[in-house]
């Protein structure tokens, strides 16, 4: 048994192997030279062997890419991607800052991005994305995507950031909750619930676009939601809140309802009982969970408004944020379920005993057509809620 074998998880470096090969070849080389040149000492062979070993080791420290294997190249590329994204993020934030300062000077109305907001928008999302990657809530691409989404929402409005933060933390915790049961009913369950860049985009893409439009319209900063005074900005704020509450409601319904409901789920289109894990199936526990998920996002938004908005006493009441957050969570879950039941394939695979989202030779069709996947359903649901929700809120929002 070779005691020098590295652990299976560690990358093997070719420079070290080359150096050890030189040592193994050294005695033969030294004795050959001694026989030919008449120098009988093995000391000369050892000295000749040490020189290439030292030179190879030093060289491998200076130019590791020449000798290391594929694992090293992958880690190196990931490191370079991180550096590039961070540099790009800093450049984008500086552009936002310069543009906001220029616009504020020219128009005299928009608020510029302060250095503290700029710094906060870099460090906090970076810390959260790093922790999410370490805890396997995000994979590498998901962490980079989340960093970009987090930066834009944070620099635009702290209420946007806290809503996103609460959605991400609660969804990550719930995904890992009762994971042993979920592995038995979900054929696509990932350890830790790792989300990739596509899932981050489908859940955070609409809020990111709305945050950018909000900054163009109002500049960075927190404002009270008041349709009588700031109609367009209030509309964008509620659209963003609705999109995040929709995503939270759908996630809470899926993660809690699938393991806590005592009754069998029913398909939302036909009301027939279907297996657990069927797209478009709902339960009372799931609907209640979606209501609570949206409410938690609304509470986070409301508390941030109380802390950072200075003119609440002359603005419209802000408490309806909680109510409409809960409504967006429930409505978003229903819309998501309907799209899943009609446009997402569900079949029961007899071989594995689980519901699958794609056709297999052993699957029996339950509902839906293979038009959209789960990410597309989430994206369309958030778009629909972002478009419909502000109009509903405008009709019922109290005026001062």
């Amino acid at each position: 048994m070779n005691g020098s074998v590295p652990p299976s998880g560690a990358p093997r470096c070719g420079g070290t192997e080359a150096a050890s090969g030189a040592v193994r070849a050294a005695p033969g080389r030294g004795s050959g030279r001694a026989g030919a040149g008449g120098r009988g000492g093995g000391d000369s062979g050892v000295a000749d062997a040490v020189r290439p070993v030292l030179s190879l080791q030093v060289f491998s420290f200076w130019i590791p890419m020449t000798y290391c294997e594929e694992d090293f190249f992958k880690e190196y590329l990931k490191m370079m991607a991180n550096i590039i994204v961070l540099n790009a993020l800093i450049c984008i934030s500086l552009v936002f800052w310069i543009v906001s300062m220029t616009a504020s000077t020219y128009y005299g109305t928009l608020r510029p991005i302060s250095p503290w907001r700029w710094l906060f928008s870099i460090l906090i999302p970076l810390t959260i994305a790093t922790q999410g990657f370490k805890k396997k809530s995000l994979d590498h691409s998901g962490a980079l995507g989340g960093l970009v989404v987090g930066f834009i929402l944070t620099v635009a409005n702290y209420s946007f950031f806290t809503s996103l933060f609460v959605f991400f933390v609660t969804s990550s915790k719930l995904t890992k909750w009762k994971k042993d049961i979920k592995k038995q009913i979900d054929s696509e369950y990932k350890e830790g619930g790792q989300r990739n860049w596509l899932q981050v985009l489908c859940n955070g893409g609409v809020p990111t676009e709305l945050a950018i439009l909000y900054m163009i319209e109002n500049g960075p900063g927190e404002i009270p939601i008041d349709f009588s005074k700031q109609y367009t900005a209030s509309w964008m704020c509620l659209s963003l809140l609705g999109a995040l509450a929709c995503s939270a409601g759908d996630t809470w319904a899926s993660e809690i309802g699938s393991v806590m409901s005592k009754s069998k789920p029913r398909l939302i289109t036909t009301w027939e009982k279907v297996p657990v894990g069927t797209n478009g199936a709902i339960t009372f526990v799931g609907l209640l969970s979606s209501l609570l998920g949206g409410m938690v996002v609304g509470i986070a938004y409301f508390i941030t408004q109380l802390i950072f908005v200075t003119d609440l006493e002359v603005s419209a009441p802000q408490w309806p944020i909680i109510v409409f957050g809960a409504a967006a969570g429930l409505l978003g879950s229903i819309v998501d379920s309907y799209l899943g039941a009609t446009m997402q394939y569900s079949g029961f695979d007899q071989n594995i005993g689980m519901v699958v989202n794609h056709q297999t030779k052993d699957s029996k069709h339950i509902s839906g057509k293979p038009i959209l996947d789960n990410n597309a359903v989430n994206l369309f649901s958030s778009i629909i809620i972002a478009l419909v929700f502000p109009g509903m809120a405008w009709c019922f929002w109290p005026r001062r």
Side-chain angles (χ1 to χ4, degrees):
M1 182 176 179
N2 188 359
S4 62
V5 176
S8 57
R12 300 187 308 168
C13 191
T16 306
E17 293 178 354
S20 62
V23 172
R24 288 193 296 269
R29 181 183 174 190
S31 56
R33 287 182 57 163
R39 291 176 294 181
D43 296 339
S44 174
V46 172
D48 290 340
V50 168
R51 279 194 293 271
V53 169
L54 292 176
S55 62
L56 282 169
Q57 287 179 338
V58 172
F59 192 64
S60 66
F61 276 111
W62 282 100
I63 312 179
M65 290 187 63
T66 307
Y67 295 97
C68 290
E69 296 181 345
E70 185 178 356
D71 289 340
F72 176 83
F73 286 105
K74 289 181 180 179
E75 293 300 321
Y76 184 81
L77 290 175
K78 287 182 180 180
M79 181 186 69
M80 292 303 298
N82 287 336
I83 294 174
I84 292 173
V85 170
L86 288 175
N87 288 333
L89 197 60
I90 293 173
C91 292
I92 292 172
S93 64
L94 286 173
V95 169
F96 275 136
W97 191 13
I98 294 171
V99 170
S100 68
M101 292 289 289
T102 304
S104 176
T105 303
Y106 183 77
Y107 293 106
T109 55
L110 297 180
R111 290 172 288 183
I113 303 175
S114 69
W116 293 114
R117 178 181 289 269
W118 173 77
L119 187 62
F120 183 87
S121 302
I122 290 288
L123 296 181
I124 301 302
L126 177 61
T127 302
I128 296 172
T130 302
Q131 290 299 316
F133 177 71
K134 289 180 178 180
K135 295 183 178 181
K136 296 184 177 180
S137 297
L138 300 167
D139 67 5
H140 192 263
S141 64
L144 294 177
L147 182 61
V148 175
V149 172
F151 164 73
I152 294 177
L153 265 65
T154 306
V155 78
N157 190 318
Y158 289 149
S159 298
F160 299 169
F161 161 72
T162 54
S163 301
L164 175 68
F165 176 73
V166 168
F167 160 61
F168 171 69
V169 172
T170 58
S171 299
S172 300
K173 295 290 185 182
L174 288 174
T175 301
K176 298 174 184 179
W177 180 60
K178 293 186 180 292
K179 62 181 181 180
D180 293 334
I181 299 177
K182 292 173 182 176
K183 288 179 182 178
Q184 300 174 7
I185 61 177
D186 188 354
S187 60
E188 298 182 356
Y189 182 82
K190 293 181 180 179
E191 188 67 30
Q194 285 187 319
R195 290 167 171 82
N196 56 29
W197 70 271
L198 185 58
Q199 292 168 308
V200 171
L201 177 64
C202 290
N203 286 288
V206 174
T208 301
E209 182 180 358
L210 289 168
I212 294 174
L213 293 175
Y214 170 85
M215 284 192 287
I216 294 174
E217 170 68 23
N218 189 71
E222 294 69 46
I223 63 166
I225 296 178
D226 191 341
F227 287 98
S228 61
K229 296 180 179 178
Q230 301 193 56
Y231 178 82
T232 304
S234 298
W235 187 284
M236 292 177 183
C237 289
L238 285 177
S239 289
L240 189 144
L241 173 63
L244 289 176
C246 169
S247 299
D250 174 58
T251 303
W252 279 49
S254 301
E255 303 298 342
I256 298 177
S258 60
V259 296
M260 291 297 292
S261 178
K262 303 299 182 182
S263 60
K264 206 168 184 181
R266 292 180 178 271
L267 195 65
I268 193 172
T269 51
T270 63
W271 211 244
E272 296 179 356
K273 291 184 177 181
V274 290
V276 177
T278 302
N279 297 306
I282 60 174
T283 62
F284 175 75
V285 175
L287 292 176
L288 181 60
S289 300
S290 66
L291 182 76
L292 294 176
M295 181 181 295
V296 168
V297 172
I299 290 173
Y301 195 109
F302 174 70
I303 292 175
T304 311
Q305 293 286 91
L306 296 181
I307 296 173
F308 290 101
V309 178
T310 57
D311 54 346
L312 289 178
E313 64 278 357
V314 295
S315 304
Q318 300 297 292
W319 60 263
I321 291 174
I322 301 175
V323 178
F324 282 97
L330 176 61
L331 182 60
S333 178
I334 294 174
V335 171
D336 188 279
S337 297
Y338 183 81
L339 292 176
T342 55
M343 297 186 179
Q344 191 175 359
Y345 176 85
S346 292
F348 188 80
D349 194 313
Q350 303 288 344
N351 190 29
I352 62 176
M354 296 183 188
V355 175
V356 294
N357 297 326
H358 56 276
Q359 293 176 319
T360 63
K361 62 179 182 179
D362 296 320
S363 65
K364 181 181 178 181
H365 179 263
I366 299 175
S367 64
K369 298 180 180 180
I371 299 175
L372 303 175
D373 63 1
N374 190 60
N375 294 323
V377 169
N378 292 337
L379 176 62
F380 281 111
S381 299
S382 63
I383 291 175
I384 292 172
I385 296 301
L387 292 174
V388 174
F389 180 67
M392 296 172 54
W394 176 79
C395 294
F396 298 99
W397 203 273
R399 269 71 169 176
R400 183 178 291 276

